[in-house]
Amino acid sequence: MGSRKKQMAEAIKAEKKQVAFAKLNNCPTSPRKMRLVADLVRGEKADKALQILRFSQKEASRRLEKLLLSAIANWQAKNEDADIEEANLFVKEIRVDGGSMLKRLRPAPQGRAHRIRKRSNHVTVVVDSLNKTQS
């Protein structure tokens, strides 16, 4: 590895240490349904996002609420000296990607079969502090 590439890799690694995130892999919900809920909380402050998820009727909101709490706990573990209320945490990025697909066959009339695709997704939530980004 060249010296420039090594320096860049170390810079990216140092930058990732400052970012608090949480991932949920192979969640058995359609990515489209999860994105509907994720769009509600993208860019919101953490406490407001938790309230939105808590009172949402969607099933995907329960999983996202748990994931957001995990991301906040990860931020707190990385910034032990900082206070959560003073930090003004917000959802910097929330990404829903398609996961693996279970393919099943459903019997159809006249000896045919229809393919049923049971979709899953991967969700990544990145939490950051408003105070840190402004300074």
Side-chain angles (χ1 to χ4, degrees):
M1 183 183 299
S3 63
R4 221 175 9 150
K5 193 172 182 182
K6 193 172 189 178
Q7 288 173 349
M8 194 63 177
E10 288 174 4
I12 291 172
K13 193 174 181 183
E15 188 177 304
K16 280 191 176 180
K17 278 189 178 179
Q18 301 301 321
V19 174
F21 67 96
K23 291 176 88 171
L24 175 63
N25 286 333
N26 295 319
C27 178
T29 308
S30 165
R32 186 175 179 180
K33 291 178 184 175
M34 187 66 85
R35 278 188 200 108
L36 286 173
V37 181
D39 290 341
L40 293 174
V41 297
R42 184 174 287 119
E44 295 286 344
K45 288 191 173 183
D47 53 350
K48 185 177 179 188
L50 283 171
Q51 294 300 320
I52 291 170
L53 292 173
R54 184 162 293 132
F55 294 109
S56 175
Q57 296 290 321
K58 301 259 183 202
E59 187 261 336
S61 67
R62 308 285 174 258
R63 297 173 198 264
L64 270 183
E65 179 185 2
K66 203 169 176 182
L67 187 67
L68 183 57
L69 286 171
S70 176
I72 292 169
N74 291 343
W75 182 89
Q76 193 172 16
K78 286 186 177 183
N79 304 295
E80 290 144 355
D81 54 336
D83 187 30
I84 290 183
E85 284 80 27
E86 294 174 6
N88 291 330
L89 291 180
F90 74 104
V91 180
K92 183 177 184 180
E93 180 183 349
I94 184 164
R95 195 169 57 246
V96 180
D97 303 318
S100 59
M101 216 180 297
L102 293 174
K103 294 180 180 170
R104 299 287 181 258
L105 292 175
R106 159 106 2 126
Q110 299 178 357
R112 290 186 298 242
H114 293 308
R115 183 171 285 164
I116 303 293
R117 295 184 306 245
K118 297 190 174 191
R119 300 171 188 269
S120 67
N121 63 53
H122 307 311
V123 187
T124 306
V125 176
V126 178
V127 173
D128 203 0
S129 170
L130 273 175
N131 297 343
K132 186 174 74 174
T133 55
Q134 289 176 349
S135 60

